[in-house]
């Protein structure tokens, strides 16, 4: 499978979700987020970048509705608002840890979201096979999680998030455990998926290069309390390919992003 | 002199109650002390715990329930024997609702019988009277199932369960004392180790004599102190219950009837024991050929001890 | 060694050692059979009275198996009800505890008023056996990996799906642990139930044999009956361990590396 | 709700409901007290006979506490021995199972030959209670995260250190689960032990009150005794649950989010 | 703390360990390694690079002695051989997953290896504080693992491996979950530790850049069956600093390594 990196990007400017003055304080008095304002736009590929422990995962969990903000609010817009009201959010989440069910095979783990949607084994088979093919694990469908390498587990988790073709894809450092070549391939595959499905992706990464290569927009976080300190927009219609990766424009964007990140780490 | 008194322990087979009255009497009125004995009574419980303590020497005398157990001791080669029988009649009774007129009618009733009962006298009821095991339900020393099921009867001690039935059921039940229908075992015996009989017959004699006197005094004398001790050992016991038990013991001649008028309380005769054994063999409760003579000795009883204490 | 077929010889060897020790204690101290019968005498009795004893054992085993089955059904069923919310668990657990601590010996007569002997025995055995299943399963149902729980939440899993596909598998090792405890308890529950409420006479279980033997002071026979109970207990435990191994060997730490 | 102080009202409410149902069953069916006494009658008896009953309860609770303590010591001790190697566990578990399934009712008379009544009662209660602790602790000791085990191996941890710093903490939630089962079992073990081996008469425990009340058909009193046992059971369970919560709330899934 | 990147590297050429024809086959018939020949030299900084699932973690576990090879053998040399014979291997291992004890605080987790060596809390305090300072977690010593972000957990794991100052440090993708700035800092800190302690480091990574920046030697693995397909040596005395990172030499080495990796991924 080769990604059609030249197809038009699905981005629109319609807002999907706005976080307004969101704060998150944990029981142990750690303030993970404070006064976080950010927007997620319909169909964009948004990357969150920031130092370790700055609240990226926390923000992603808030967006997913897995935890409630201690202050501020989340506003959903448009179609998605209706969907959520009807209790049919279509979210794919790749957790920072693989989060596989130890008692199920690779196939079973990837099948899970479909099964939960009432799609049986037989019916789900093609979609699962496709997802496993995408992450290069076709040969391991009957293996159990404990028989997989770290990167393989993470790939199963990615396949599981993609198999439902969700409208909103939240990914928490999905490629951190992967070698560069697999990573590049999956970068392209993900872009392809994004374009084909026209879905919205919020992507947490530590790699400046990756964020620039993939995103249509990058938010840079600072730590404790976590909030957005910089925003970079990248032309979504710019084709993402080897040529882009070696272009001076890319290098410039990376430098810019790196500087923003460096500032975020030492904001004083 | 109290200092020289022999320390002995007497284990009973149930919690303290009027059926043990004579022994408590001998404790409280000093009869044992007078016979040079310092007696401790170790009450039993629903499990016949104390019985095994006799052959191993943890206790010196044990209150046996009936002759059957003594016979099985012989079978199992356990060196114990009966030295006195305080109850001439086994108080074992079948308790029925008032509509039952005859013993025969019980054959059509559900019978609540304990496991021990089923293994012993009930086999005799099957053999001699044509009762059936199928009509039996387990008796768990609680009369409620009998009270609820109007078409049933249950086992009991004539001196004990009928009281609870009268109180709670509000009727006077029909009682069929098995002894009156031929189950002629002795009951509430004193058992001891054969070795003790051989080596210290004097101690055994003193215990037997004092106990017999205790029983005379308990039945015919002032038993208030004995009853107080019983109640102390068993706080569940009430004066009414004790009075009921004593009345029944007298009414049915449990302790003092038949041979005792001549031989005194505690009497045992070879003929009676042989007759009972033969019946049990007949009923297949016991095997033939048991040396029953080894299960008891009459050397300590039939001497008319204490007879003068009985009312004329 | 851990995987060799000889491993089965070890527990048998240990048991043999125990029996040998027992034998020597009896012979060296010259203990009379009514204090402690020699193993030989017990075995002899077992063989001589095999018809009666094995018949009784079958009756008891039947009760045990049924009680265990019902304990699983009841324990897991209650655990599922409790699992619906912490607050339900909190409100209803006292009732389960009351059931657990009710001495069946005391309530058996009341049971007999309303049910047949067999049902009463079964109920007694059930009361004794269900709690470990309930308690361990509840613990297991509450030990779900929070990340996996989030995953299910996100995927829009219904309460029921989360239960079936997440909480139950998580609870499986705990449940199987509870089951191993319940197996032995069902057996003694059956025996105690028989003592408390069981029928006597022919066709009755091992408890009656024990009571009867005790009454007749036939201690070797009492021990033969106890021996059968012990064997049944070991058998039940072995079967449940095997079951546990089969269910968990592919994924749970406790069973990776061979059945316990 | 889950965290509010009113949560304590819920189980009490449920119990109150149960008592109300009990009351109406008795009055509507006009049940005689020997079949099922009304709650009022039971309470009355409880208050009237409080001196005797509470005295007995203390005796039983003492036995229970001691038995539970010994069950923890014995269960954990055996689990530690078993933990030394799978093969040891495999060889010795049958013995533990034999102990578990030995009906104390049957062997109590034999125990009395060798030990005092009090010790025999204690031993009975112990036999009934130790197994869940043993079984669950063993399961827990074998459920160690394999990565952590490797970590310890690499750090040159001794067998003993691995046990103390890795396997025991891992086993803690399992152990505490076993303890909650054992708590109730120790209580009924004490009651059964008292019935099987206990001396009757003064200073004896609740079991004796129960047996004697049943025999005398003093059913309200029997229920008063049962009530006390139930309350004791709930109390023990609550204390053990609290203990479990205190020990695990900072790290184990089963207790994060409040005591069960 | 700034790393003294110009100190001389501790490398010697004395072999520490040689793997000869090592194979590893798992119970489920997956052959993770086959005919693996490699050497670890005294005092070197050796990186293992390769596609996901190629057996890097497996190789590391074999070196650590955590699993036994199905075929072939491991030969320890020199001082280390004697040490191992005496049962005193001094190995620090950073697992691919954080592998923290959930019941212990950050402090307790880092204390663990010292505790196992018989060093009490008080005595260990300065070393633990230093290790936590190094990974930037001084403020979290009393937090429990479940209260940490993914990257923070991994940093605790790194601190735990460093706290004993081991002679052989095995690290399985220690920095994968970290942002680039933290990562760069820890890269330098690690080099500093390496130079100061004169220890040997075997380092699994997915980042070509990282491997070139850190290593004195790089081994490139191919997958199923895993074995070494390329080896690159980098002058250990070359100072590792920002200048190196931007030098054409560095770029060339990265390109070379990337190509070796690409070949490893498609060996036919
Ligand atoms: N459950 C929790 N309880 C307490 N504190 C928490 C919890 N989860 C996260 N935190 C704290 O919140 C802060 C942000 O954590 P978060 O996981 O969002 O960071 P992150 O940006 O994802 O970091 P990383 O890149 O390392 O994954 C951290 O300081 C962490 O210690
Ligand atoms: N316990 C196991 N049982 C069976 N197969 C295993 C086991 N551990 C690893 N494998 C297999 O061995 C191969 C190598 O695994 P390993 O973990 O060494 O890979 P890796 O190079 O570390 O990959 P990654 O970069 O993804 O961590 C994989 O194909 C994996 O499926
Ligand atoms: Mg994170
Ligand atoms: Mg790996």
């Amino acid at each position: 499978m080769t990604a059609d990196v030249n197809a038009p990007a699905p981005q629109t400017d319609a807002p999907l979700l706005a976080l307004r003055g969101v704060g998150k304080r944990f029981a142990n008095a750690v303030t993970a987020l404070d006064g976080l304002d950010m927007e997620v736009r319909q169909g964009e590929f948004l990357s969150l970048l920031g130092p370790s422990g700055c609240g990226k995962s926390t923000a992603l969990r808030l967006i997913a509705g897995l935890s409630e903000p201690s202050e501020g609010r989340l506003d959903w817009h448009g179609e998605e608002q209706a969907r959520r009201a009807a209790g049919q959010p279509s979210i794919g989440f790749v957790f920072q840890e693989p989060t596989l069910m130890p008692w199920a095979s690779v196939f079973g783990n990837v099948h899970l979201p479909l099964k939960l949607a009432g799609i049986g084994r037989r019916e789900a088979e093609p979609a699962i096979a496709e997802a496993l093919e995408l992450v290069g694990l076709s040969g391991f469908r009957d293996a159990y999680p404990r028989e997989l390498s770290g990167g393989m587990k993470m790939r199963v988790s990615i396949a599981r998030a993609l198999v439902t073709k969700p409208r909103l894809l939240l990914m928490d450092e999905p490629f951190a455990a992967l070698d560069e070549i697999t990573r590049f391939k999956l970068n392209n595959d993900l872009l392809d998926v994004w374009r084909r499905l026209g879905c919205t992706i919020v992507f947490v990464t530590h790699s400046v290069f990756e964020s620039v290569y993939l995103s249509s927009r990058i938010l840079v976080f600072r730590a404790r309390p976590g909030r957005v300190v910089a925003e970079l927009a990248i032309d979504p219609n710019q084709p993402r390919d080897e040529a882009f990766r070696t272009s001076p424009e890319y290098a410039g964007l990376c430098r810019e992003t790196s500087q923003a990140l460096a500032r975020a780490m030492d904001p004083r | 002199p109290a200092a020289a008194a022999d320390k002995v322990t007497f284990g009973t087979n149930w919690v303290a109650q009027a059926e043990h009255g004579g022994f408590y009497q001998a404790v409280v009125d000093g009869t044992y002390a007078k016979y040079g004995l310092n007696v401790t009574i170790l009450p039993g419980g629903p499990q016949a715990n104390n019985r095994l303590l006799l052959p191993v020497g943890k206790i010196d005398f044990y209150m046996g329930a009936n002759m059957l157990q003594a016979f099985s001791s012989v079978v199992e080669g356990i060196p114990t024997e009966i030295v006195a029988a305080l109850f001439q009649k086994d108080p074992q009774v079948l308790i029925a609702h008032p509509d039952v007129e005859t013993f025969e009618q019980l054959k059509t009733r559900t019978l609540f019988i304990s496991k021990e009962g089923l293994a012993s006298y009930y086999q005799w009821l099957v053999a001699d009277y044509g009762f059936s095991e199928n009509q039996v339900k387990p008796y768990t020393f609680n009369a409620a199932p009998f009270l609820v099921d109007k078409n049933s009867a249950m086992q009991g001690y004539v001196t004990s369960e009928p009281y609870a039935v009268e109180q709670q059921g509000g009727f006077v039940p029909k009682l069929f004392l098995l002894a009156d229908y031929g189950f002629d075992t002795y009951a509430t015996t004193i058992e001891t180790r054969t070795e003790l009989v051989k080596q210290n017959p004097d101690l055994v004699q003193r215990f037997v004599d004092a106990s017999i006197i205790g029983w005379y005094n308990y039945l015919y004398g002032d038993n208030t102190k004995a009853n107080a001790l019983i109640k102390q050992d068993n706080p569940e016991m009430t004066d009414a219950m004790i009075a009921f038990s004593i009345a029944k013991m007298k009414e049915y001649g449990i302790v003092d009837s038949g041979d005792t008028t001549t031989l005194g309380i505690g009497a045992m005769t070879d003929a009676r024991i042989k007759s009972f054994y033969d019946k049990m063999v007949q009923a297949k409760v016991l095997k033939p050929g048991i040396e029953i003579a080894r299960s008891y000795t009459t050397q300590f009883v039939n001497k008319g001890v204490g007879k003068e204490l009985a009312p004329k | 060694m851990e995987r060799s077929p000889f491993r089965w010889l070890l527990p048998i060897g240990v048991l043999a050692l125990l029996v040998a020790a027992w034998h020597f204690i009896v012979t060296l101290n010259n203990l009379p059979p009514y204090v402690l019968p020699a193993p030989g005498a017990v075995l002899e009795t077992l063989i001589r009275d095999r018809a009666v004893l094995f018949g009784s054992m079958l009756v008891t085993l039947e009760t045990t198996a049924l009680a265990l089955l019902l304990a699983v059904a009841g324990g897991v069923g209650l655990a599922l009800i409790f699992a619906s919310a912490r607050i339900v668990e909190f409100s209803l657990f006292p009732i389960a505890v009351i059931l657990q601590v009710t001495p069946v010996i005391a309530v058996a007569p009341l049971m007999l008023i309303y049910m047949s002997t067999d049902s009463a025995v079964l109920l007694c055995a059930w009361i004794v056996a269900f709690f470990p299943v309930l308690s361990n399963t509840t613990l297991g149902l509450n030990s779900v990996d929070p990340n996996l729980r989030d995953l299910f939440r996100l995927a829009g899993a219904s309460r029921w799906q989360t239960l079936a596909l997440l909480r139950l598998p998580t609870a499986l090792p705990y449940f199987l642990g509870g089951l191993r405890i319940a197996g032995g308890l069902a057996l003694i529950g059956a025996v105690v139930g028989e003592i408390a409420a069981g029928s006597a006479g022919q066709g009755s279980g091992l408890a009656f044999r024990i009571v009867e033997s005790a009454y007749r002071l036939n201690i070797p026979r009492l021990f033969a009956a106890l021996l059968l109970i012990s064997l049944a207990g070991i058998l039940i435990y072995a079967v449940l361990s095997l079951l546990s191994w089969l269910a968990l060997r592919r994924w749970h730490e406790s069973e990776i590396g061979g059945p316990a």
Side-chain angles (χ1 to χ4, degrees), chain C residues 93-119:
Chain C
F93 230 115
I95 296 176
V97 174
I98 290 178
L99 269 181
Q100 189 208 14
V101 301
T102 300
V104 288
I105 292 270
V107 294
L110 304 179
M111 292 179 189
L112 281 173
I113 295 177
Y114 293 104
M115 50 184 91
S116 74
T117 320
D118 290 351
S119 324

Side-chain angles (χ1 to χ4, degrees), chain A residues 24-33 49-61 96 172-173 204-206 221-224 226:
Chain A
K24 178 76 193 178
R25 175 188 295 272
F26 285 103
N28 62 350
V30 167
T31 305
L33 296 172
L49 209 60
S52 170
C54 69
K56 304 180 295 295
S57 299
T58 304
L60 224 52
R61 291 174 56 83
Q96 196 166 1
D172 200 348
E173 302 184 39
V204 172
T205 180
H206 282 126
F221 278 58
R222 51 157 276 188
R224 250 151 284 141

Side-chain angles (χ1 to χ4, degrees), chain B residues 101-176:
Chain B
E101 298 295 341
T102 68
F103 196 61
E104 288 291 312
Q105 280 175 323
L106 290 174
K107 283 195 271 184
T108 60
R109 302 287 163 133
T110 299
L111 295 180
F112 291 100
I113 306 289
S114 73
K115 290 187 176 56
E116 292 81 357
L118 196 81
S120 57
Y121 67 80
Y122 197 79
Q123 297 304 319
W124 162 79
L125 283 176
V126 171
D128 273 23
Y129 285 90
F131 283 53
S132 147
E133 276 194 13
N134 296 331
Q135 67 187 107
V136 171
K137 283 180 104 182
Y139 175 58
T140 51
F141 300 95
N142 177 326
F146 159 73
L147 291 179
V148 172
D149 184 353
K150 300 283 177 246
N151 198 30
S152 69
M154 71 171 206
Q155 77 169 46
Y157 256 40
V158 69
T159 49
S160 183
E161 275 95 337
Y163 178 77
V165 170
E166 282 181 21
Q167 294 298 305
Q168 302 294 326
F171 62 90
V172 178
K174 285 278 165 53
L175 304 177
F176 300 91

Side-chain angles (χ1 to χ4, degrees), chain B residues 15 44 49 58 147-148 160 168 232-234 236-237 241:
Chain B
V15 298
N49 291 331
K58 285 235 160 175
L147 291 179
V148 172
S160 183
Q168 302 294 326
Q232 187 188 322
D233 262 11
N234 180 3
E236 308 290 321
M237 192 52 67
M241 263 187 256

Side-chain angles (χ1 to χ4, degrees), chain C residues 68-257:
Chain C
L68 189 57
L69 227 75
L70 293 178
V72 168
V76 173
L78 277 174
L80 290 181
I81 294 175
F82 290 4
S84 61
R86 273 285 161 118
I87 204 74
V88 175
E89 181 188 333
F90 194 71
S91 308
L92 297 183
F93 230 115
I95 296 176
V97 174
I98 290 178
L99 269 181
Q100 189 208 14
V101 301
T102 300
V104 288
I105 292 270
V107 294
L110 304 179
M111 292 179 189
L112 281 173
I113 295 177
Y114 293 104
M115 50 184 91
S116 74
T117 320
D118 290 351
S119 324
V121 173
L122 200 59
L123 187 60
C124 287
W126 180 85
I127 285 185
V128 172
F130 89 101
F131 194 79
V133 175
L134 167 64
S135 176
N136 264 24
T137 307
T138 301
L139 176 61
L141 288 173
N142 288 333
S143 294
V144 162
D145 176 356
N147 285 325
L148 278 174
R149 188 197 301 267
D150 286 345
L151 180 77
F152 272 70
R153 189 129 77 92
L154 270 181
S158 66
R159 199 168 255 281
W160 170 243
Q161 285 175 321
T162 309
L163 194 63
L165 299 176
L166 175 61
R167 301 181 71 182
L168 281 179
T170 303
L172 193 61
Y174 292 82
F175 161 72
L176 289 167
L179 190 62
R180 283 200 297 259
I181 300 171
L185 283 183
L187 183 59
I188 47 170
V191 172
V192 170
E194 280 172 4
I195 289 181
S199 62
Q202 258 153 7
S204 55
L206 278 177
F208 176 61
R209 299 294 154 219
I210 289 176
V211 171
E212 190 192 25
S213 305
Y215 182 74
R216 290 173 183 268
L217 283 182
N218 190 344
I219 308 295
R221 182 149 162 183
L222 191 154
F223 269 79
L226 289 180
L227 189 68
L228 282 182
I229 292 180
S230 296
L231 289 180
I234 293 178
L235 190 77
I236 292 171
Y237 190 83
V239 168
L240 295 178
S241 295
L242 186 71
L243 197 75
S244 178
W245 180 72
L246 287 175
L248 302 181
R249 79 208 138 114
R250 290 215 68 174
W251 64 274
H252 197 261
E253 293 77 23
S254 67
E255 296 288 1
I256 289 167

